[in-house]
Amino acid sequence: GRGEDFATIYSNGTWNDGVNAFGHVLIEFDQSPGLEEVTWAPSLGGTGARYQAVITTIPVSWSEARDRAAALGGSLVSMETEAEADFLFENLVAFHSLWTRTNYNGGPWIGLESIGGIWQWSSGVALDWNPWRPGEPDGSGDKGCFFSYLDGPRRELDDTFDQNVRRAFIVEFDPELPCIGDVNGDGVVNGADLGLLLGAWGECPRKCPGDLNKDGLVNGADLGLMLGSWGFCP
């Protein structure tokens, strides 16, 4: 008679009847939804890069996560722009399974490291926007990870030390294009790809879809590669 008509599960596995107000839900899928992997498509303003969340059986250090990411053929994720961080958090990082869910809610490792006092991504690009939780970095370490305190997952980072082990890390893979000029990944090299390339013309210190030869510039060399693969991809 108190409106507790809904089942919930306590952290110790026992059940409770509660009201219609939930903080979390457990979802069952008929087929795997592929929640451990996501691609930031050019149609969404992305680079075409693919990201994978890896949950470990035994928590790993930052260095171990870096080496395991390399063994998978990628690298710890470099969130060079706030837009990339937003996309990753909303589509991958916010899942609770990647976090410790303790008071110090440790989230996954990322490819951020302080070298000579300068924070930079695994890609070699220096951090030039503010992803930190208020009060961070506080000098507690030279590696970057997601974390929140007394709260659920947040798109906030902490500086910590290598051996402050985590149960998850995020791997980034280069775009997998049918052919080198197919910037938007639609299976054909045409004016749409040319427009993306021309829109990124010039220096490209960050990841940009027009830098086909990965030399940090979008220029005639990239244009030549695109024109050489013009048409439908094989």
Side-chain angles (χ1 to χ4, degrees), residues 53-61 65 68 97 109 165-169:
V54 178
I55 300 175
T56 63
T57 303
I58 300 174
V60 296
S61 68
R68 289 184 59 170
S97 56
W109 287 120
V165 294
R166 292 288 185 276
R167 69 192 306 257
F169 55 93

Side-chain angles (χ1 to χ4, degrees), residues 13 18 28 43 67 91 106 108 156 173 183 190 210 213-214 226 232:
E28 180 177 359
S43 61
D67 294 344
N91 293 277
E156 298 174 343
F173 301 91
V183 176
N190 57 19
N213 61 4
K214 308 299 181 185
M226 176 172 287
F232 286 97

Side-chain angles (χ1 to χ4, degrees), residues 153-165:
R154 290 288 182 271
R155 202 218 66 185
E156 298 174 343
L157 303 185
D158 179 31
D159 61 323
T160 189
F161 53 95
D162 184 81
Q163 293 296 321
N164 191 3
V165 294

Side-chain angles (χ1 to χ4, degrees), residues 10-86:
Y10 286 126
S11 58
N12 65 3
T14 59
W15 288 29
N16 175 51
D17 58 333
V19 298
N20 186 18
F22 302 138
H24 309 94
V25 295
L26 182 63
I27 303 173
E28 180 177 359
F29 297 90
D30 293 330
Q31 299 179 3
S32 172
L35 297 179
E36 74 284 353
E37 190 173 292
V38 66
T39 297
W40 194 22
S43 61
L44 299 175
T47 63
R50 178 170 59 92
Y51 309 90
Q52 181 181 354
V54 178
I55 300 175
T56 63
T57 303
I58 300 174
V60 296
S61 68
W62 186 91
S63 296
E64 290 170 325
R66 176 200 60 199
D67 294 344
R68 289 184 59 170
L72 291 170
S75 60
L76 287 179
V77 63
S78 297
M79 300 183 299
E80 297 174 4
T81 65
E82 195 164 1
E84 185 175 8
D86 286 340

Side-chain angles (χ1 to χ4, degrees), residues 18 24 37 44 47 99 118 135 168 174 176 187 192 200 217:
H24 309 94
E37 190 173 292
L44 299 175
T47 63
W99 297 66
I118 298 175
D174 288 336
E176 299 172 357
L217 292 170

Side-chain angles (χ1 to χ4, degrees), residues 65-137:
R66 176 200 60 199
D67 294 344
R68 289 184 59 170
L72 291 170
S75 60
L76 287 179
V77 63
S78 297
M79 300 183 299
E80 297 174 4
T81 65
E82 195 164 1
E84 185 175 8
D86 286 340
F87 174 83
L88 270 174
F89 184 80
E90 293 168 6
N91 293 277
L92 196 66
V93 177
F95 291 116
H96 280 249
S97 56
L98 276 66
W99 297 66
T100 57
R101 289 166 288 178
T102 57
N103 287 345
Y104 177 90
N105 194 7
W109 287 120
I110 56 173
L112 185 61
E113 182 179 19
S114 178
I115 301 176
I118 298 175
W119 286 95
Q120 66 180 44
W121 299 106
S122 298
S123 62
V125 174
L127 173 64
D128 62 357
W129 63 281
N130 182 17
W132 303 105
R133 178 179 173 84
E136 305 295 342

